[in-house]
C-alpha cells in the first residue's frame, strides 16, 4: 500500500557499468547485473491488452554523473618479479593442520604458489599483506585480485583469499575448492553457522561451467567492519557476517591430502577505500520539544586533509524532527581543511512520529539516521483482527515467499483472527505474510517489542511454518522466528547468516516442536540484536544490526509442491519499551578483608532525559554487605534530568554470609536482575603449583588415564611436564574421547562461608584434524566428589559448523556436547589460547569463571571429599589433542580473621557511618580534652546517619 497507490514516487536508476540499482523514494529495492558502459535512458508508458489505456504523468527528470569517492590504497601487478618484504610476509593461516612445502614464487609478472602436502590435511602457503586496513560503516575496503589459474593436482586444492581479524583468530576464507565443490567460503567468528574447515559453504551463484573452469576470474572482498561481500567477476555471491576492524588480507594456495600439489596463479592485486558520511548512532529518540543525545557525523579519515568538506544533514519530515541549529530541516556542517573528521549535533523533536535524516553534499551518505519522536514508552500498534477486512492504514499484504517457491495464498481477517492459507505449486517455501504499513526504530535506549498470539499451525505435506519477521523492507536483513512443523520445530533464521533452510534450532523449545496450538510469541529488538521469547521464555539473542526502517511481518509458508499451510494469528501488539535498569555484574564474592568492589548501576537514558530519576539499591541482608553510604541497607542514587545514566556504587562487606542487592526506581522501571553478594572467610592457600621441573609433583597430583567417554589412547600418548607447563598430548586409538587428567591427591571441604576455589591457566588447546571437519577436542577442569558426581568445565572445539566453545558437563549430560555458557560466547574467549579458568564451590553450587568473567552457577550440593583436576580429550580415532596448562592454585578454608573496618561517607546533608566487626560507637566534641561517650540511642545495626553541622565532632568504634 505504501508504494502501490499510483501516486507520486521518486524513481531512480544508478548505473556503474556493471550493475544498476533500482531505487524508489530513496529506498534500494534491488541491484541487477547490467554490464554496459554506454547506455540510453528512456521513460514512458505502456498498456497491456486490447482497449487498455495508458495514463502516466512524469516530472523533474535529472541525470547526474557522480565520481565515487574512491582512493586506491594498495596495488601490485607483480611485474617486479620479486616478493617485496615491505609489502608481503610469508604465512600460512591454520586451516586443518597439514604439513607441506607450498610457497610463493614471483615470476613472469604473476605470483604463483606451488608445493606439495606431505602430511594431510590441507597444508598451504600464503602471502600476508604487511599493511592492515580498517573498514567501517564510513569507509568500505575492497580487495580485488585476478585468480589467473587453479591447476593443483590430486584429490583437492584451493585458491585461497583470506580476510582475518588482527589476532588472526577469526576469518573468512574465499576460495575455489577444486575437487570439493568449486567456489565456496569458510567462516570462523565464534558464532553458530561457522564452517571453519572442510570444503566450506557453497556459493550457489558461482556454480557451473562459467566459473568452474580453473581459469581467469576476478575475486573481490568488500568489507565494512560488519560484513564481507564476496564477488566473482563483479557479481556478488554472498554477504557474510564479519564484525572486525582492523583486518588482515592474505592470498595463496592449499592442497588437501598426502602428495596433492598446489598450483595457483594470481595477478593484479588492488585495494581501494570507498568513503561516505555516517551517523553514529544510527537511531535516536527524543521527546516532543526536547533534544536527543548527541549524534556524531563522521567523514573518512583524511578526506578533508587538503580542503574543506561540506555536508548537509537533512530531515525527511521537518514537521516531526529537525537537526537542532539548522534551517528548514537542514543543518550545514563544514569539516575544515586539516581539521577533525567528526562533528556532532542533536535532534529536536517537533511532533510524534518517526523520520529519517540523510547526509548530502561533498560525500555521499553511507547510512541514515532513524529518529523516533515519542511521548515516552508507548504502544504504536494494537490489533485484535476483529474487523471484517484488513486495515490498510496498519497493514499491507505481501506475496513474497520465504525461499523461491510459488503458490496460491490468501490473507484474510475472519472470526476475529488473521488467517494465512494456501498451497505450494513449486518448491520451496512459498507463502504470504501480513506486513506493517509503517516502519519502526529500535535502539539500546528504546527497544522495539513485537508480540502476537500464534493461534494454530495446520499443515499437510512435507513441512509448513508460521512465524514472525523483524526485517528491513526488502528482507536484506531479518530475524525470522517460526515453528517449522515437519522439520526442525521452533527455530530462527537470520539474514545474513542462515536466511533459508532449517535455520537455528531453539533447544529450549524442543518439547513444543509438534505443538500446533496457541503460543505467545515475542521479539525484542535493540538495534543490535533480537531476543525471541515463546510463552515468556527466552530462546536466545540473534544479530540484527538495524536501528531504523524496521518492518514486522506475520507469515505462513508451505515447503514443497502440493504442501498446504494454514496459519492463524491474533492479538498483535507493537510497542516501544525502555530497557530495564541493571547492575554491571551479576555476582560478587569478597572477603571481610576486602575494601569493597565497584559495581555500575545503569538506568535507561529515557528514564532521566527530561526529569530526574531516583534509584534505591537495597541489601536484603545488611549484616552481610551493604552499598557504601547506605542507611539501614538502602542507598539512594539521584539521577538529575539530562545527567549521565550510569553511577558507580561500592559493595562493602559487613559480615560472613550471602545477600542480594536489588534495584527499585522512581519513575518505576523494570530491572534486568539482582546482584548476588557473598562475603566469605579470608581463605588460606591450600595448593600452588607452577609445574617447575620435568615431572608433576606426585605429592599433589594423581594421573588419571580414564577417558571422558569410552575411547582408548595410543601408546605414544602422554602427559608430561616441560618448560614449566603440563602438556597433555593424546592421539585417539579408538573413539570416543580418550585422554588424560591430573587430579588432586588431597580432598577439600567447602561451605557457604568458606568456599574452595580452584584456578589454572589453560594455556593452549592445540590439535591435529586427521578426520578433517569431523574432529573434536576438549580441554578443561574438573570438580568431583567421592560419590561420583562431577562437573567438567571445558573448551569444546569443533570444526564442522558446531559452535560449541565454553561448556560444562555433569551427571545430567555426562558425555554429550555439554551445556553452553552464553556469557562466554564472545569471540575473545574462543581462540583456544591462554585463559584463566576458575571454579568456586560453596557446598551448594559451583560458579564458573573465565578470565574473572562470571559464566554460570550450577547446582553442586556436596561439601566434603572434593577433588579438582584438569585434562584434555579427543573424540575420534587418529585425531589429536594437545592441551597445555600452568599455574594451578587452590584456596579455601578459614584464614586469619581480618580486623574490623570503620568507614564514613557523605550522603546529601548527612554523614553515614558504617563498620564491620564488633564494638560500641562513641563520639566526642573535643579531642583535647577528650570526652568519649557512647552514642545514644545505640544504633540498631552497624551503621548510623547523623546530620552534618558546623561544629566538629569525632567518632570512634571501641572494641
Amino acid at each position: 500500500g505504501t508504494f502501490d497507490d499510483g501516486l507520486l514516487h521518486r524513481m531512480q536508476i544508478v548505473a556503474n557499468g556493471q550493475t544498476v540499482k533500482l531505487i524508489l523514494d530513496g529506498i534500494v529495492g534491488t541491484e541487477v547485473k547490467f554490464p554496459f558502459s554506454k547506455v540510453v535512458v528512456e521513460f514512458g508508458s505502456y498498456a497491456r491488452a486490447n482497449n487498455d489505456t495508458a495514463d502516466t504523468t512524469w516530472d523533474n527528470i535529472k541525470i547526474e554523473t557522480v565520481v565515487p569517492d574512491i582512493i586506491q590504497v594498495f596495488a601490485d601487478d607483480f611485474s617486479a618479479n620479486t616478493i617485496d618484504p615491505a609489502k608481503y610476509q610469508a604465512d600460512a593461516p591454520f586451516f586443518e593442520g597439514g604439513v607441506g612445502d607450498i610457497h610463493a614464487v614471483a615470476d613472469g609478472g604473476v605470483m604463483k604458489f606451488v608445493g606439495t602436502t606431505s602430511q594431510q590435511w590441507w597444508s598451504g602457503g600464503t602471502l600476508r599483506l604487511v599493511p592492515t586496513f580498517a573498514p567501517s560503516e564510513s569507509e568500505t575496503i575492497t580487495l580485488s585480485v585476478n585468480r589467473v589459474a587453479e591447476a593443483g593436482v590430486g584429490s583437492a586444492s584451493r585458491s585461497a583469499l583470506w580476510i582475518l581479524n588482527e589476532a588472526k583468530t577469526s576469518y573468512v576464507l574465499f576460495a575455489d575448492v577444486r575437487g570439493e565443490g568449486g567456489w565456496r567460503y569458510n567462516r570462523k567468528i565464534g558464532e553458530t553457522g561457522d564452517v571453519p574447515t572442510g570444503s566450506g559453504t557453497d556459493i550457489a551463484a558461482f556454480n557451473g561451467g562459467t566459473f568452474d573452469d580453473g581459469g581467469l576470474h576476478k575475486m573481490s572482498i568488500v568489507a565494512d567492519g560488519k560484513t564481507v561481500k564476496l564477488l566473482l567477476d563483479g557479481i556478488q555471491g554472498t554477504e557474510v557476517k564479519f564484525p572486525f576492524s582492523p583486518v588482515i588480507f592474505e592470498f595463496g594456495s592449499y592442497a588437501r591430502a598426502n602428495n596433492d600439489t598446489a598450483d595457483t596463479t594470481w595477478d593484479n592485486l588492488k585495494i581501494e577505500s570507498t568513503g561516505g558520511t555516517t551517523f553514529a548512532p544510527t537511531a535516536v529518540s527524543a521527546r516532543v520539544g526536547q533534544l536527543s543525545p548527541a549524534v556524531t557525523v563522521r567523514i573518512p579519515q583524511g578526506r578533508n586533509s587538503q580542503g574543506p568538506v561540506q555536508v548537509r544533514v537533512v530531515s525527511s519530515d521537518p514537521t516531526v524532527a529537525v537537526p537542532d541549529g539548522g534551517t528548514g530541516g537542514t543543518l550545514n556542517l563544514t569539516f575544515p581543511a586539516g581539521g577533525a573528521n567528526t562533528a556532532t549535533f542533536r535532534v529536536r523533536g517537533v511532533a510524534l512520529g518517526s523520520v529519517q535524516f540523510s547526509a548530502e553534499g561533498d560525500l555521499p551518505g553511507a547510512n541514515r539516521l532513524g529518529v523516533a519522536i515519542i511521548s515516552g514508552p508507548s504502544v504504536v500498534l494494537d490489533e485484535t483482527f476483529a474487523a471484517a477486512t484488513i486495515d490498510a492504514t496498519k497493514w499491507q499484504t505481501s506475496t513474497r515467499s520465504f525461499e523461491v517457491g510459488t503458490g496460491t495464498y490468501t490473507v484474510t481477517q475472519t472470526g476475529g483472527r488473521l488467517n494465512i492459507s494456501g498451497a505450494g505449486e513449486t518448491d520451496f517455501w512459498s507463502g504470504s505474510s501480513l506486513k506493517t504499513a509503517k516502519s519502526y526504530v529500535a535502539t539500546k535506549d528504546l527497544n522495539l517489542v513485537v508480540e502476537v498470539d500464534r493461534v494454530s499451525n495446520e499443515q499437510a505435506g512435507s513441512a509448513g511454518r508460521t512465524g514472525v519477521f523483524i526485517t528491513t523492507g526488502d528482507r536484506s536483513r531479518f530475524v525470522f522466528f517460526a515453528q517449522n512443523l515437519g522439520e526442525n520445530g521452533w527455530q530462527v533464521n537470520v539474514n545474513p547468516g542462515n536466511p533459508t533452510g532449517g535455520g537455528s534450532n531453539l533447544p529450549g523449545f524442543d518439547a513444543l516442536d509438534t505443538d500446533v496450538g496457541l503460543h505467545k510469541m515475542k521479539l525484542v529488538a535493540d538495534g543490535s540484536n533480537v531476543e525471541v521469547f515463546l510463552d515468556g521464555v527466552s530462546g536466545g539473542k540473534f544479530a540484527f544490526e538495524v536501528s531504523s526502517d524496521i518492518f514486522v511481518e506475520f507469515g505462513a509458508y508451505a515447503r514443497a509442491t502440493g504442501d498446504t499451510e494454514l496459519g492463524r494469528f491474533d492479538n498483535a501488539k507493537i510497542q516501544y519499551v525502555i530497557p530495564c535498569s541493571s547492575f554491571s555484574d551479576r555476582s560478587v564474592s569478597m572477603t571481610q578483608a576486602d575494601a569493597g568492589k565497584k559495581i555500575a548501576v545503569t538506568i535507561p537514558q529515557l528514564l532521566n532525559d527530561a526529569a530526574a530519576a531516583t534509584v534505591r539499591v537495597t541489601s536484603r541482608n545488611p549484616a552481610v554487605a551493604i552499598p557504601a553510604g547506605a542507611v539501614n541497607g538502602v542507598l539512594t542514587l539521584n539521577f538529575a534530568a539530562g545527567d549521565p545514566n550510569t553511577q558507580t556504587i561500592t559493595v562493602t562487606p559487613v559480615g560472613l554470609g550471602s545477600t542480594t542487592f536489588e534495584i527499585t526506581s522512581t519513575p518505576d522501571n523494570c530491572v534486568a536482575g539482582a546482584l548476588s553478594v557473598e562475603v566469605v572467610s579470608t581463605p588460606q592457600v591450600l595448593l600452588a603449583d607452577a609445574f617447575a621441573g620435568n615431572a608433576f609433583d606426585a605429592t599433589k597430583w594423581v594421573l588419571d588415564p580414564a577417558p571422558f567417554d569410552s575411547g582408548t589412547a595410543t601408546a605414544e600418548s602422554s602427559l608430561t611436564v616441560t618448560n614449566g607447563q603440563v602438556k597433555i598430548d593424546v592421539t585417539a586409538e579408538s573413539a570416543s574421547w580418550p585422554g588424560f587428567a591430573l587430579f588432586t591427591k588431597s580432598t577439600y571441604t567447602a561451605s557457604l562461608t568458606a568456599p574452595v576455589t580452584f584456578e589454572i591457566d589453560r594455556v593452549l588447546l592445540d590439535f591435529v584434524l586427521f578426520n578433517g571437519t569431523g574432529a573434536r577436542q576438549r580441554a578443561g577442569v574438573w570438580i568431583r566428589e567421592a560419590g561420583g558426581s562431577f562437573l567438567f568445565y571445558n573448551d569444546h572445539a569443533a570444526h564442522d559448523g558446531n559452535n560449541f566453545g565454553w561448556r560444562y558437563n555433569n551427571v545430567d549430560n555426562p558425555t554429550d556436547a555439554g551445556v553452553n555458557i552464553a556469557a562466554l560466547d564472545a569471540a575473545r574467549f574462543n581462540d583456544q589460547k591462554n585463559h584463566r579458568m576458575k571454579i568456586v564451590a560453596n557446598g551448594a553450587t559451583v560458579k564458573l569463571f573465565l578470565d574473572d568473567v562470571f559464566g554460570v552457577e550450577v547446582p553442586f550440593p556436596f561439601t566434603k571429599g572434593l577433588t579438582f583436576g584438569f585434562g584434555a580429550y579427543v573424540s575420534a580415532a587418529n585425531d589429536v589433542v594437545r592441551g597445555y596448562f600452568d599455574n594451578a592454585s587452590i584456596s579455601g578454608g578459614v584464614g586469619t580473621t581480618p580486623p574490623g573496618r570503620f568507614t564514613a561517607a557523605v550522603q546529601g546533608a548527612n554523614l553515614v557511618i558504617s563498620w564491620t566487626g564488633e564494638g560500641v560507637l562513641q563520639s566526642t566534641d573535643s579531642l583535647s580534652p577528650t570526652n568519649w561517650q557512647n552514642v545514644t540511642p545505640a544504633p540498631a545495626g552497624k551503621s548510623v546517619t547523623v546530620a552534618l553541622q558546623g561544629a566538629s565532632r569525632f567518632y570512634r568504634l571501641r572494641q
Side-chain angles (χ1 to χ4, degrees):
T2 305
F3 301 115
D4 295 336
D5 56 5
L7 300 177
L8 174 65
H9 293 285
R10 182 72 171 172
M11 300 176 65
Q12 291 174 274
I13 293 178
V14 179
N16 62 14
Q18 296 181 349
T19 66
V20 292
K21 291 180 182 176
L22 307 181
I23 304 171
L24 194 63
D25 296 339
I27 298 174
V28 178
T30 188
E31 185 172 11
V32 184
K33 184 177 180 181
F34 194 71
F36 305 102
S37 60
K38 292 185 178 181
V39 299
V40 175
V41 178
E42 299 184 18
F43 66 101
S45 185
Y46 291 79
R48 177 179 176 271
N50 292 343
N51 301 317
D52 288 355
T53 64
D55 187 352
T56 306
T57 305
W58 303 86
D59 200 3
N60 300 318
I61 186 169
K62 181 169 65 173
I63 298 176
E64 298 174 299
T65 299
V66 179
V67 179
D69 190 30
I70 298 175
I71 296 176
Q72 182 171 288
V73 293
F74 187 98
D76 194 346
D77 62 4
F78 306 122
S79 59
N81 293 324
T82 61
I83 300 174
D84 185 348
K87 293 182 177 180
Y88 307 106
Q89 291 292 315
D91 200 1
F94 176 88
F95 190 59
E96 288 191 14
V99 177
D101 61 0
I102 300 170
H103 62 285
V105 177
D107 188 37
V110 297
M111 191 70 70
K112 294 192 69 172
F113 288 82
V114 295
T116 304
T117 292
S118 56
Q119 178 179 312
Q120 57 196 20
W121 306 93
W122 289 112
S123 75
T126 65
L127 289 179
R128 172 177 54 82
L129 275 66
V130 171
T132 60
F133 304 89
S136 66
E137 197 171 33
S138 64
E139 188 169 6
T140 299
I141 301 295
T142 300
L143 177 147
S144 61
V145 63
N146 289 340
R147 198 293 306 273
V148 178
E150 173 55 54
V153 176
S155 65
S157 61
R158 69 177 71 204
S159 313
L161 183 59
W162 296 80
I163 180 172
L164 306 100
N165 66 336
E166 272 196 305
K168 298 200 292 186
T169 56
S170 297
Y171 58 78
V172 171
L173 168 60
F174 181 22
D176 181 6
V177 190
R178 181 198 60 81
E180 285 193 353
W183 296 95
R184 311 174 80 86
Y185 73 90
N186 296 80
R187 187 191 75 174
K188 180 185 177 185
I189 62 172
E191 293 187 7
T192 299
D194 279 356
V195 183
T197 56
S199 59
T201 301
D202 182 49
I203 306 176
F206 302 154
N207 288 339
T210 304
F211 299 110
D212 293 332
D213 56 3
L216 173 64
H217 295 284
K218 184 177 182 179
M219 299 174 67
S220 300
I221 293 178
V222 182
D224 63 9
K226 294 182 179 179
T227 68
V228 293
K229 297 182 177 73
L230 307 180
L231 292 83
L232 198 61
D233 300 334
I235 299 171
Q236 180 175 321
T238 189
E239 183 175 8
V240 184
K241 182 178 180 182
F242 194 70
F244 300 98
S245 183
V247 296
I248 293 169
F249 291 111
E250 305 195 20
F251 66 103
S253 186
Y254 285 70
R256 176 179 174 270
N258 292 343
N259 301 315
D260 287 353
T261 64
D263 188 347
T264 305
T265 305
W266 303 89
D267 201 2
N268 299 320
L269 175 65
K270 181 170 60 177
I271 296 179
E272 296 175 322
S273 167
T274 305
T277 304
T278 58
F279 297 103
T282 56
V284 294
S285 54
R287 301 179 193 270
V288 174
Q290 301 289 327
L291 293 176
S292 74
V295 177
T296 298
V297 180
R298 180 185 300 273
I299 63 173
Q301 189 75 37
R303 297 306 164 91
N304 59 329
S305 60
Q306 302 301 314
V309 173
Q310 307 291 331
V311 172
R312 297 187 304 276
V313 177
V314 181
S315 170
S316 63
D317 188 349
T319 66
V320 174
V322 296
D324 191 50
T327 302
T330 298
L331 174 66
N332 295 312
L333 299 174
T334 299
F335 297 86
N341 68 323
T342 61
T344 61
F345 74 97
R346 296 177 184 270
V347 175
R348 181 173 294 279
V350 178
L352 298 179
S354 61
V355 298
Q356 298 287 325
F357 281 24
S358 59
E360 302 175 359
D362 292 344
L363 288 176
N367 65 3
R368 291 189 293 174
L369 174 68
V371 177
I373 305 304
I374 62 171
S375 59
S378 61
V379 175
V380 292
L381 187 149
D382 198 354
E383 178 67 87
T384 62
F385 301 108
T389 59
I390 293 172
D391 186 345
T393 66
K394 295 180 179 178
W395 307 102
Q396 54 184 314
T397 299
S398 171
T399 59
R400 182 169 179 172
S401 63
F402 178 63
E403 291 187 6
V404 297
T406 59
T408 301
Y409 291 83
T410 60
V411 181
T412 62
Q413 285 183 203
T414 55
R417 291 171 177 169
L418 170 66
N419 304 278
I420 305 175
S421 63
E425 296 170 355
T426 64
D427 298 339
F428 286 102
W429 292 113
S430 61
S432 286
S433 64
L434 192 68
K435 180 178 178 180
T436 55
K438 298 178 180 179
S439 65
Y440 305 96
V441 301
T443 73
K444 65 181 181 65
D445 295 318
L446 189 69
N447 296 170
L448 178 67
V449 178
V450 178
E451 298 176 271
V452 70
D453 290 344
R454 199 298 305 273
V455 177
S456 63
N457 183 6
E458 300 177 19
Q459 172 268 333
S462 63
R465 69 176 92 190
T466 53
V468 183
F469 281 95
I470 283 187
T471 177
T472 55
D474 59 359
R475 288 196 194 168
S476 59
R477 296 179 183 274
F478 65 73
V479 171
F480 180 42
F481 176 29
Q483 183 189 31
N484 184 348
L485 191 63
E487 290 188 332
N488 290 346
W490 293 97
Q491 62 185 52
V492 167
N493 290 81
V494 180
N495 188 23
N498 53 0
T500 58
S504 301
N505 180 56
L506 303 178
F509 305 150
D510 283 350
L512 302 173
D513 279 351
T514 59
D515 187 340
V516 298
L518 176 66
H519 292 286
K520 294 184 178 296
M521 303 178 70
K522 182 169 77 170
L523 298 85
V524 181
D526 64 5
S528 298
N529 299 285
V530 172
E531 186 170 9
V532 301
F533 297 82
L534 190 67
D535 300 329
V537 177
S538 174
K541 291 184 177 181
F542 300 88
F544 184 67
E545 294 185 359
V546 179
S547 52
S548 60
D549 282 340
I550 299 171
F551 291 84
V552 176
E553 297 183 46
F554 306 127
Y557 305 89
R559 177 181 176 274
T561 304
D563 290 353
T564 63
E565 171 63 36
L566 169 58
R568 292 189 174 95
F569 298 87
D570 202 358
N571 300 317
K573 181 185 290 187
I574 301 175
Q575 57 186 320
Y576 289 129
V577 175
I578 62 175
C580 298
S581 303
S582 63
F583 291 106
S584 57
D585 292 84
R586 294 162 50 196
S587 177
V588 169
S589 181
M590 54 200 315
T591 71
Q592 287 180 291
D594 288 333
K597 293 193 175 180
K598 303 291 185 181
I599 300 292
V601 176
T602 300
I603 63 174
Q605 187 69 62
L606 292 176
L607 201 65
N608 72 318
D609 65 330
T614 301
V615 171
R616 291 166 296 281
V617 181
T618 302
S619 171
R620 285 186 185 174
N621 188 351
V624 172
I626 59 171
V631 178
N632 296 323
V634 180
L635 174 66
T636 300
L637 302 176
N638 296 307
F639 292 81
D643 273 4
N645 61 329
T646 296
Q647 294 189 33
T648 299
I649 65 171
T650 301
V651 180
T652 302
V654 178
L656 297 177
S658 62
T659 184
T660 300
F661 284 17
E662 297 175 328
I663 292 174
T664 57
S665 63
T666 304
D668 188 38
N669 190 47
C670 61
V671 179
L675 174 67
S676 173
V677 179
E678 60 181 14
V679 180
V680 301
S681 301
T682 302
Q684 297 175 320
V685 176
L686 305 176
L687 180 148
D689 199 338
F691 302 110
N694 56 13
F696 66 84
D697 187 340
T699 66
K700 297 178 179 178
W701 306 99
V702 176
L703 178 65
D704 185 348
F708 180 63
D709 190 353
S710 57
T712 57
T714 63
E716 294 77 21
S717 300
S718 62
L719 185 152
T720 59
V721 177
T722 181
N723 297 323
Q725 295 178 355
V726 173
K727 177 183 178 182
I728 302 174
D729 190 344
V730 180
T731 301
E733 185 170 79
S734 65
S736 56
W737 296 109
F740 298 115
L742 285 183
F743 275 89
T744 56
K745 188 170 186 177
S746 300
T747 61
Y748 301 90
T749 299
S751 69
L752 290 174
T753 57
V756 60
T757 298
F758 174 49
E759 299 182 69
I760 196 167
D761 290 336
R762 197 294 307 274
V763 178
L764 179 66
L765 173 56
D766 197 7
F767 40 79
V768 176
L769 307 182
F770 184 87
N771 288 297
T773 59
R776 295 183 184 177
Q777 298 81 18
R778 281 179 163 106
V781 295
W782 295 83
I783 178 173
R784 299 195 302 202
E785 59 88 28
S789 290
F790 70 89
L791 185 142
F792 181 41
Y793 168 30
N794 61 93
D795 186 1
H796 186 166
H799 314 277
D800 57 359
N802 285 294
N803 177 38
F804 289 144
W806 295 97
R807 297 182 162 239
Y808 70 86
N809 295 76
N810 56 16
V811 293
D812 295 326
N813 44 37
T815 58
D816 64 7
V819 178
N820 184 55
I821 305 174
L824 306 180
D825 281 345
R828 70 180 187 274
F829 297 126
N830 289 286
D831 57 3
Q832 282 90 52
K833 295 185 179 180
N834 192 12
H835 296 284
R836 185 71 171 173
M837 302 183 68
K838 181 165 70 174
I839 289 180
V840 181
N842 63 12
T845 68
V846 292
K847 294 180 180 178
L848 308 180
F849 297 82
L850 193 68
D851 300 334
D852 282 328
V853 174
F854 174 69
V856 70
E857 186 171 13
V858 184
F860 197 74
F862 306 101
T863 60
K864 297 181 179 180
L866 304 178
T867 56
F868 298 92
F870 58 96
Y873 306 86
V874 62
S875 62
N878 300 311
D879 280 335
V880 177
V881 64
R882 299 186 182 109
Y884 297 78
F885 297 86
D886 200 1
N887 301 315
S889 70
I890 298 175
S891 58
V894 179
T896 303
T897 301
R901 184 184 300 104
F902 193 50
T903 60
V906 175
Q907 184 177 337
N910 297 319
L911 183 72
V912 180
I913 301 171
S914 305
W915 61 92
T916 62
E918 300 303 321
V920 176
L921 184 65
Q922 295 184 325
S923 69
T924 179
D925 291 335
S926 173
L927 292 179
S928 180
T930 58
N931 185 28
W932 291 104
Q933 301 290 325
N934 293 349
V935 172
T936 56
K942 294 187 177 182
S943 68
V944 68
T945 300
V946 295
L948 293 174
Q949 53 188 344
S952 298
R953 177 164 293 173
F954 303 90
Y955 288 87
R956 73 180 184 184
L957 190 71
R958 183 174 181 179
Q959 295 180 298

